[in-house]
Amino acid sequence: MAGGRPRTFDMDDALDRAVEVFWRQGYEGTSISELTAAMGVNKPSLYAVFGTKEELFQQVVQRYAERELAYFREALALPTALEVVCDYLNRNAVALTRPDRPPGCLSIQGGLSASPANNTVTQFLATSRLTGERALAARLTRARTDGDLPADAAPAALARFVMVVSEGQAVHAAAGATAYELQQSAAIALKAFEQALTTAN
Amino acid sequence: MAGGRPRTFDMDDALDRAVEVFWRQGYEGTSISELTAAMGVNKPSLYAVFGTKEELFQQVVQRYAERELAYFREALALPTALEVVCDYLNRNAVALTRPDRPPGCLSIQGGLSASPANNTVTQFLATSRLTGERALAARLTRARTDGDLPADAAPAALARFVMVVSEGQAVHAAAGATAYELQQSAAIALKAFEQALTTAN
DNA sequence: CCAGTTTGCAACCGATCGGTTCAGAACTTT
DNA sequence: AAAGTTCTGAACCGATCGGTTGCAAACTGG
């Protein structure tokens, strides 16, 4: 057994750098040479460690979900439906506009559309967004049995509405909207949600 | 003066075909050879008639706004703020999911993010979206003087909220949501808007 | 110090990118 | 029919794409 030549890069750091590049430029807007430069990894090592561009992208999205979307899972753990949604949309506004991060959301601008050759990337991101929506729907279903959502409320439709607002916030953030502006939109959306707490939907 | 060899393509038809390709694949996901194939225009003619890829894209976006976003301008012409927003969001749901069109919205998935080399495209689209938001804000400001929006309502914030919802609908549509699902979201959003009609915002 | 292992670096691969050049075909006017 | 104009088709341009190969450098265990 032998050690071999040591790496000049840290895998975790390199992946974080890749997250940033894909986040800012999207899948098709990012070239391998830009990635190797930003990650501090030479090309053969990149392929040895992370696989192809598409495989790297999947790891990037996973890392992004773990490190940058923690607030979503934390929001889901709050006691009532209203708290969940209020917390999520407001923290979303902040997360989408962090000055030390690219504006917007990787899960959307990473590849909302693409060449037919890269269709799997678009579908992969759509699926990962849908997973979040389903988690929220499940949380709202529980809220209905908990009693903080009316029995005749529609958790799937409400969850979809919340995700629609959150995606709209992301598009606006990518265009340069401020956290305050996005929170204003969140506040208006929450009025609709509050109404669902008392009325049939 | 002479006529020269006649073209084998129609400029208007060719531009419509280009709209469809950019709409489905985005700016960076579309190659010149895909465009020439879809438009029925050979490469030298494409450059002679439409200019560079970026110049063609600008004409494509303009054509898209003229032909595919007419319902937005029609909605703005309705008598009251509530009618304007209700009509817009519901017709948006239909327009984003037409079976004879690519799902989603060209103004968003055409280039939400891009390589630094194509940054102008992203900014161009963001500006064109902002133009729509400002038109809606102006319409809501008029509604305030008309009296169908409270004096203490915030037209800019309300317009931003409506555009956030509309952009979220577009992202959802790109992922395969149905018109019905998007109209459910529109209905929930409208409850928030209705509340703004009676209460301070 | 040497054998074995793993990395870094650079050159290379075919394919495609956006964009141009050029000869000849197809038209109109005289 | 000849001259003039405009378009088509294909070949071509340098650059870059994602991905690979080969070799020397840098480490470990014996």
Side-chain angles (χ1 to χ4, degrees), chain A residues 96-143:
Chain A
L96 293 170
T97 55
R98 286 182 58 168
D100 56 344
R101 297 280 190 282
C105 172
L106 170 64
S107 308
I108 298 171
Q109 66 211 37
L112 188 55
S113 65
S115 151
N118 295 321
N119 233 319
T120 58
V121 169
T122 296
Q123 293 173 355
F124 172 70
L125 287 178
T127 301
S128 109
R129 294 196 304 268
L130 187 58
T131 300
E133 181 174 318
R134 282 212 241 265
L136 179 57
R139 176 66 188 83
L140 296 183
T141 301
R142 206 196 79 193

Side-chain angles (χ1 to χ4, degrees), chain B residues 163-174:
Chain B
M163 297 311 286
V164 161
V165 172
S166 123
E167 288 161 356
Q169 284 179 314
V171 173
H172 249 65

Side-chain angles (χ1 to χ4, degrees), chain A residues 7-17 39-41 49-50 63 67:
Chain A
R7 287 180 179 154
T8 58
F9 63 93
D10 179 80
M11 250 192 83
D12 269 29
D13 292 351
L15 194 54
D16 285 336
R17 307 272 183 80
M39 297 168 77
V41 180
V49 174
F50 298 103
R63 165 66 55 94
R67 303 257 165 114

